[in-house]
Amino acid sequence: MALQTITQDALVESLFEIIRCHGYEGTTIALLSDITGLKKSSLYHRFPAGKDDMVKAVVLYVSAQLQQLIIAPLLERQVAPEERFSKMLVTVKAFYGGGNKNCLLNVLSLGEAKDDIKTLLKQDYAAWFAALSALAQDAVLTQTEAEVRAEQFLIAVQGALVVQRLTENPPTFDNCMAYAQKQFFKSSDG
Amino acid sequence: MALQTITQDALVESLFEIIRCHGYEGTTIALLSDITGLKKSSLYHRFPAGKDDMVKAVVLYVSAQLQQLIIAPLLERQVAPEERFSKMLVTVKAFYGGGNKNCLLNVLSLGEAKDDIKTLLKQDYAAWFAALSALAQDAVLTQTEAEVRAEQFLIAVQGALVVQRLTENPPTFDNCMAYAQKQFFKSSDG
DNA sequence: ATTATTATACCGAACGTTCGGTACAGTGAC
DNA sequence: GTCACTGTACCGAACGTTCGGTATAATAAT
């Protein structure tokens, strides 16, 4: 068997960084070729179904990352809820490059990606939401209140990413995350 | 002057709806032609500098709308702050179609639009932020606290739009706005 | 050990299509 | 007739995609 010049994982990681930055329409095969070092025809060897195939691979990769690095730790019930949340925030900050990198969920739900891809994105959101809601319920809260907190947090994540990209003001995301943590665990509504 | 088949304002309004929906790369001249009913040559007659010219016109149109419908009412100091905010929320909900329409600031800051366009977007955000901050200061708050509230609200707007687009769950945006209003005027932090 | 065969990985060149943009001839109100 | 506007035809470039072919590595038979 011939040697791969780049592993599939590293390749998908590269595609991910390009797509999250340029969006669906903004990502051209030529650009992918330039950055990965693989020629266009080679990319089609790895992903026979073309661009949508590449995007799908990226989404599945991100789903796995989300599950492994964010959701699973959120559900470790032997750890205190606050600590689980804190560890998630560390991961999240790194994942979004301190707010300087876009969220694939935002980027791809804007573009004209295929329906099955949008379904995957929706599932990713739902999984994260469910894990946060479960965590909030571990921390005393009722189910309905827990769901509100979970949604509010995810809204804060997406909103802070948009605002920081817009203003190019780096501390926005980190500040917002710190504030969101306080809100998530506060005892009652003010 | 020969008769225009469509007024410039109505034309720009059409372009706006297409661009906010499809993004910069996703918006093609052919699509603009199809939806506006004007042939390409007519579009280029109206906007000699081409696509960027059209996008710029849309951004300037939105800037004017923002200034007139959102920012100016926010600064009417003879009206009570809570009422000003409430009226803004009505306008905002309509502007974003109850959360079903995208924000141009998000859409265009993602795409590879020209720098001067991104500068305009940044100014729009800053103007809205400043007006909200001034409003919050009218309602007792300190300047730093007012700026936090303003940013939190704008983050909520952008985040709720992303999340609702992602989940296709309509009440998300309106619910979030109602919650954001309470947060904006609450007395002290919890 | 040598050979033939198969499978994988990659590339250069070209495909048909669509992109944004242009040139120019009509058309209709003044 | 003039001039603002619109329609048809067209352009080069870039798009996503396909194809023919090469190089290397594993496999099987001799």
Side-chain angles (χ1 to χ4, degrees):
Chain A
M1 215 188 306
L3 287 176
Q4 287 184 151
T5 52
I6 179 176
T7 68
Q8 192 76 357
D9 278 3
L11 179 54
V12 172
E13 172 71 35
S14 285
L15 300 183
F16 168 49
E17 291 299 333
I18 302 170
I19 291 174
R20 86 189 316 197
C21 176
H22 294 91
Y24 185 81
E25 285 75 18
T27 298
T28 68
I29 307 294
L31 182 62
L32 295 176
S33 171
D34 284 349
I35 296 190
T36 62
L38 284 184
K39 297 298 177 182
K40 288 206 265 183
S41 40
S42 301
L43 287 173
Y44 273 85
H45 176 70
R46 303 279 193 112
F47 306 98
K51 190 176 185 180
D52 287 337
D53 213 357
M54 304 178 203
V55 172
K56 198 167 188 174
V58 165
V59 173
L60 291 174
Y61 165 79
V62 168
S63 297
Q65 294 274 95
L66 179 68
Q67 183 62 43
Q68 190 180 92
L69 301 176
I70 294 182
I71 293 177
L74 276 180
L75 301 176
E76 286 184 350
R77 304 194 66 175
Q78 69 275 17
V79 181
E82 286 83 356
E83 192 181 345
R84 281 185 259 165
F85 196 95
S86 288
K87 296 206 168 182
M88 176 195 68
L89 274 194
V90 173
T91 307
V92 165
K93 287 181 188 177
F95 189 74
Y96 293 118
N100 290 320
K101 293 180 175 183
N102 298 325
C103 180
L104 202 68
L105 300 181
N106 180 17
V107 165
L108 287 184
S109 67
L110 264 172
E112 342 256 311
K114 299 288 173 296
D115 276 352
D116 61 328
I117 286 177
K118 299 207 174 180
T119 301
L120 290 173
L121 299 175
K122 206 191 265 194
Q123 288 169 358
D124 284 347
Y125 176 87
W128 196 356
F129 172 82
L132 281 168
S133 176
L135 176 75
Q137 289 181 61
D138 286 348
V140 167
L141 298 168
T142 66
Q143 184 186 341
T144 49
E145 184 59 25
E147 289 175 350
V148 170
R149 304 281 173 107
E151 185 173 272
Q152 281 295 318
F153 173 75
L154 293 175
I155 286 174
V157 170
Q158 296 297 333
L161 289 174
V162 173
V163 169
Q164 179 163 326
R165 169 156 38 79
L166 205 48
T167 60
E168 299 174 293
N169 179 34
T172 300
F173 184 73
D174 282 2
N175 289 345
C176 181
M177 288 300 98
Y179 186 78
Q181 182 167 24
K182 279 198 304 184
Q183 292 290 311
F184 193 85
F185 288 107
K186 75 168 190 275
S187 51
S188 92
D189 240 69
Chain B
M1 216 192 315
L3 283 180
Q4 289 184 150
T5 51
I6 181 175
T7 68
Q8 191 75 358
D9 278 3
L11 178 55
V12 172
E13 171 71 34
S14 285
L15 300 182
F16 168 48
E17 290 300 332
I18 302 170
I19 291 174
R20 83 186 323 193
C21 177
H22 294 91
Y24 184 81
E25 285 80 13
T27 298
T28 68
I29 307 293
L31 182 63
L32 295 175
S33 173
D34 284 349
I35 295 189
T36 62
L38 288 184
K39 298 295 179 182
K40 282 208 285 182
S41 50
S42 303
L43 287 173
Y44 275 88
H45 176 72
R46 306 275 192 115
F47 306 98
K51 189 178 185 179
D52 287 337
D53 212 356
M54 304 178 204
V55 173
K56 197 167 187 174
V58 165
V59 173
L60 291 174
Y61 165 79
V62 168
S63 297
Q65 294 274 95
L66 180 69
Q67 182 63 41
Q68 191 179 88
L69 300 175
I70 294 182
I71 292 176
L74 276 181
L75 301 177
E76 286 183 351
R77 304 193 67 176
Q78 70 274 17
V79 182
E82 286 82 357
E83 192 179 345
R84 281 185 259 166
F85 196 96
S86 288
K87 297 207 167 181
M88 176 195 69
L89 273 194
V90 173
T91 307
V92 164
K93 286 181 188 176
F95 189 75
Y96 293 118
N100 290 320
K101 293 179 176 183
N102 298 325
C103 180
L104 202 68
L105 300 181
N106 181 16
V107 165
L108 287 184
S109 68
L110 263 173
E112 341 257 309
K114 300 288 174 296
D115 276 352
D116 62 328
I117 287 178
K118 298 207 174 181
T119 301
L120 290 173
L121 299 175
K122 206 191 265 192
Q123 288 169 357
D124 284 347
Y125 175 88
W128 195 357
F129 172 81
L132 282 168
S133 177
L135 175 75
Q137 290 180 61
D138 286 348
V140 168
L141 298 168
T142 66
Q143 183 186 340
T144 50
E145 183 59 25
E147 289 176 350
V148 169
R149 303 282 173 107
E151 185 173 272
Q152 281 295 317
F153 173 74
L154 292 174
I155 286 174
V157 170
Q158 297 298 333
L161 289 173
V162 173
V163 168
Q164 179 163 325
R165 168 158 36 81
L166 204 48
T167 60
E168 299 174 294
N169 180 34
T172 301
F173 184 73
D174 282 2
N175 289 345
C176 182
M177 288 300 98
Y179 185 78
Q181 183 168 24
K182 279 199 305 185
Q183 291 290 312
F184 193 86
F185 288 107
K186 74 165 189 277
S187 51
S188 92
D189 239 69

